Amino acid sequence: MAVASTSLVSQGSRPQFSGLRRSCSKQDHSLSLSAAAHSLFQNVDSQLRFSSSRRGSRGIVAMAGSGKNGTTESISKLVSDLNSAKLETDVDVVVAPPFVYIDQVKNSLTDRIEISAQNSWIGKGGAFTGEISVEQLKDIGCKWVVLGHSERRHVIGEDDQARGHVFNTRLTNFHLQFIGKKAAYALSEGLGVIACIGELLKEREEGKTFDVCFKQMKAFADAVPSWDNVVVAYEPVWAIGTGKVATPQQAQEVHVAVRDWLRKNVSEEVASKTRIIYGGSVNGGNCAELAKQEDIDGFLVGGASLKYHVISISMSIETRIYEKSMYKSGIGHTRLYFQNIIGPEFATIVNSVTSKKVAA
Ligand SMILES: O=C(CO)COP(=O)(O)O
């Protein structure tokens, strides 16, 4: 779980909060996705077809927020908000600050919330200038690392598979299944891994969502010896930082497909136990509906982790105004608008995961 909170991030970058609900009982999964499911992927009523047999008692880790930039001052404020937030107890909360602020966050953040890095090196530390080793992350108190984030894949160029070129002999092997191998090394050293997957808009439009997600899952599965400390984060790239959140149905159908992939390719037990969280424009307004979906076990949150949850109530009151001056000015009814700040938005998101559990 990783909360990389926006508070830990500064303008122009998306922080990431992820909330993870705590783990859960093993459930029977009867759903099996057939190949034909791919062609049905876009159908409107897919929610029903893709609904799994899991029950809501499953715990969820669901809050990771991190930021990719920030300042000492903005981070102090975010940490203070996190420390005072009322967070339900059965949600694991993780914050993933930028590397340079991890120490500051670690030294000021409540123990209730764990810390994640946003990336780590593929193997044991050594002469890899500019990289951060897993050993160093552990040394400063990190418990988690986010790997395979879409920005690392599509902006930095990290990949699951071998690259078309090799920088030098020493790096040849590293570039084979780069992301999976990073995950394997982090796990071997005791860090939890938030393993990100997700399709580009073009890939979704071409009907390749499952193919892309399954390929990314395979790269992790081929490399990791155990899924015990892995949380899968499904983040459709087109939803990250765009304000275009996946609908609950769109998210659920991918989550259940990924769970089914785990069942078929790893084991029934791993499929049942692995927490699959959703990321991509999650906020205080849309989290509750997403959290109701059976296979959404929490969230990886960016921008919303920097904000406050504001409830706007607009009330139109049909009131005849007899007061002379008002009447003359033509005001026949009064509209009242209320804005109520109910706390940090990440708290709303974390607690939505708990509400799902309670409701179920
Ligand atoms: O990047 C993200 C999480 O890693 C998601 O960011 P947003 O919540 O801002 O879309």
Side-chain angles (χ1 to χ4, degrees):
M1 49 201 223
V3 174
S5 83
T6 302
S7 55
L8 310 177
V9 183
S10 68
Q11 271 199 332
S13 80
R14 290 181 301 284
Q16 305 145 340
F17 261 112
S18 92
L20 317 177
R21 233 172 12 169
R22 277 192 184 129
S23 125
C24 52
S25 61
K26 186 175 168 184
Q27 298 293 332
D28 174 47
H29 296 256
S30 60
L31 177 78
S32 177
L33 263 189
S34 68
H38 293 248
S39 62
L40 297 173
F41 184 63
Q42 306 293 345
N43 288 5
V44 179
D45 62 342
S46 58
Q47 184 184 10
L48 297 176
R49 265 197 308 279
F50 284 90
S51 173
S52 83
S53 60
R54 292 168 71 233
R55 292 291 171 263
S57 58
R58 177 191 176 82
I60 296 178
V61 182
M63 229 185 141
S66 75
K68 289 129 194 152
N69 52 45
T71 62
T72 307
E73 194 183 336
S74 67
I75 285 171
S76 293
K77 170 82 174 74
L78 280 166
V79 168
S80 155
D81 289 347
L82 281 167
N83 286 343
S84 57
K86 286 201 176 93
L87 304 175
E88 298 290 345
T89 53
D90 62 350
V91 181
D92 292 333
V93 183
V94 178
V95 64
F99 287 122
V100 291
Y101 298 115
I102 288 176
D103 205 36
Q104 178 192 346
V105 173
K106 175 68 187 157
N107 290 330
S108 51
L109 188 66
T110 166
D111 290 346
R112 160 77 179 88
I113 298 173
E114 293 186 334
I115 297 188
S116 173
Q118 298 180 9
N119 188 26
S120 61
W121 180 236
I122 195 168
K124 194 168 170 54
F128 301 105
T129 302
E131 291 294 333
I132 312 281
S133 73
V134 169
E135 290 80 5
Q136 289 168 327
L137 295 176
K138 282 167 52 182
D139 188 40
I140 56 170
C142 276
K143 295 269 177 13
W144 293 84
V145 61
V146 177
L147 292 173
H149 190 278
S150 80
E151 287 149 17
R152 304 259 358 140
R153 291 178 189 270
H154 300 296
V155 181
I156 312 293
E158 285 187 15
D159 201 354
D160 297 317
Q161 304 300 329
R163 298 278 185 89
H165 58 277
V166 169
F167 297 118
N168 62 43
T169 325
R170 200 154 52 116
L171 286 179
T172 303
N173 291 334
F174 289 151
H175 281 265
L176 292 169
Q177 299 170 347
F178 192 71
I179 297 170
K181 284 198 188 305
K182 279 187 173 190
Y185 189 71
L187 289 169
S188 75
E189 288 294 307
L191 289 189
V193 168
I194 297 174
C196 301
I197 61 168
E199 82 286 0
L200 296 163
L201 180 59
K202 183 168 177 290
E203 292 164 337
R204 171 166 281 263
E205 287 172 347
E206 290 170 354
K208 294 181 182 159
T209 298
F210 289 171
D211 292 341
V212 171
C213 291
F214 294 168
K215 181 169 164 268
Q216 293 167 345
M217 287 295 293
K218 183 170 184 323
F220 284 116
D222 286 349
V224 304
S226 158
W227 287 76
D228 282 353
N229 281 325
V230 179
V231 170
V232 175
Y234 168 58
E235 294 201 294
V237 181
W238 47 270
I240 298 177
T242 60
K244 269 185 170 173
V245 66
T247 65
Q249 293 75 23
Q250 284 174 322
Q252 166 67 9
E253 65 191 1
V254 177
H255 281 227
V256 75
V258 167
R259 200 176 299 288
D260 190 64
W261 187 93
L262 281 171
R263 182 176 306 111
K264 288 175 178 160
N265 294 281
V266 184
S267 75
E268 177 73 32
E269 186 181 7
V270 166
S272 180
K273 283 185 175 169
T274 301
R275 292 174 288 190
I276 305 175
I277 62 176
Y278 169 81
S281 297
V282 176
N283 61 39
N286 58 35
C287 58
E289 285 306 307
L290 286 160
K292 279 183 196 162
Q293 301 301 311
E294 188 165 355
D295 289 273
I296 296 180
D297 298 323
F299 299 112
L300 185 59
V301 183
S305 57
L306 297 176
K307 297 180 188 148
Y308 278 81
H309 192 190
V310 178
I311 290 192
S312 299
I313 303 165
S314 74
M315 202 183 282
S316 176
I317 301 179
E318 277 294 327
T319 310
R320 279 213 156 271
I321 312 260
Y322 292 105
E323 198 276 318
K324 203 171 174 187
S325 60
M326 296 289 276
Y327 190 70
K328 272 193 181 158
S329 71
I331 298 174
H333 64 268
T334 302
R335 280 204 165 82
L336 299 178
Y337 294 93
F338 297 101
Q339 283 216 322
N340 188 15
I341 296 179
I342 59 171
E345 194 150 340
F346 63 81
T348 305
I349 296 169
V350 169
N351 295 339
S352 74
V353 174
T354 305
S355 313
K356 170 188 165 183
K357 190 178 171 197
V358 169

